[in-house]
Amino acid sequence: MKIESYVFSFSKDYTPVYEVEENEILTFVCKDCFCGQVKDENTNVEEIDESLDNPATGPVYVKNAKKGDVIAVEILDIRIDEKGVAIPMMHCGPKDVVYKEKPQLFNIVDNCLNWEKYNISWEMEPMVGVIGCAHDQKDIPTVQPGEHGGNMDCKMIKKGSVVYLPVRVDGALLAMGDIHASMGDGEM
């Protein structure tokens, strides 16, 4: 089953877009972290709507997952689009983002990112930036990490990984997104 519905928080109040059986394989079709707002290197980064940052695909209701359980999500594969985007930032933190340069676009060819502007390339190491479940007491923005999962940007959440997430509401309401083709420690 392919899931193509997006949320910007983990919330117990969302209506699930799909109900998954235990051990069922799903495909999450994810948007980039800017929700498609960066079209080219001339995009005015000051006009990016930050309320659309880090869309997560879902939520998915996990059958038989009850409050107090833990679910295991196995990442079987991560497929990356033909283009990537990055925006160099300084002072990156809550409400302290300062955009330094224009968006940088990357072509992805033969499992490598090609930064043609500087004539460099490197091998991809795709990973999931945002993955989590709904919280039982509050809505949590997808850009925020926490005990529910969220925006962890952990390089270890990649193909072959298993992510264990606490279930705070029946059905878990799992969502994921913010796929990176490559990322250094500290989200470089």
Side-chain angles (χ1 to χ4, degrees), residues 152-163:
M152 297 183 285
D153 283 323
C154 175
K155 295 187 330 180
M156 295 186 303
I157 304 176
K158 60 186 179 179
K159 180 179 177 177
S161 297
V162 178
V163 180

Side-chain angles (χ1 to χ4, degrees), residues 31-153:
K31 292 183 177 276
D32 67 60
C33 69
F34 301 111
C35 203
Q37 295 179 86
V38 177
K39 302 295 183 203
D40 56 40
E41 290 183 347
N42 295 315
T43 299
N44 182 346
V45 294
E46 300 297 330
E47 293 178 4
I48 291 175
D49 181 351
E50 291 180 25
S51 72
L52 299 178
D53 283 357
N54 286 359
T57 304
V60 172
Y61 186 93
V62 180
K63 280 188 183 176
N64 300 320
K66 300 293 182 202
K67 183 176 179 174
D69 290 347
V70 172
I71 61 169
V73 181
E74 184 177 2
I75 310 297
L76 299 176
D77 198 9
I78 300 173
R79 296 185 191 141
I80 302 295
D81 206 348
E82 297 172 345
K83 291 224 179 263
V85 64
I87 298 178
M89 294 183 277
M90 304 181 327
H91 312 297
C92 186
K95 302 198 185 289
D96 189 30
V97 174
V98 176
Y99 297 107
K100 184 178 180 188
E101 294 187 29
K102 291 184 175 188
Q104 305 293 306
L105 300 182
F106 302 84
N107 290 316
I108 300 172
V109 180
D110 296 329
N111 205 40
C112 287
L113 284 111
N114 297 301
W115 198 357
E116 293 168 2
K117 180 177 180 176
Y118 297 105
N119 196 30
I120 60 173
S121 67
W122 63 95
E123 193 169 330
M124 288 191 323
E125 294 182 47
M127 47 79 63
V128 177
V130 171
I131 183 169
C133 297
H135 196 279
D136 58 341
Q137 297 176 11
K138 56 188 171 186
D139 292 357
I140 303 174
T142 54
V143 297
Q144 183 178 332
E147 60 194 31
H148 66 290
N151 188 27
M152 297 183 285
D153 283 323

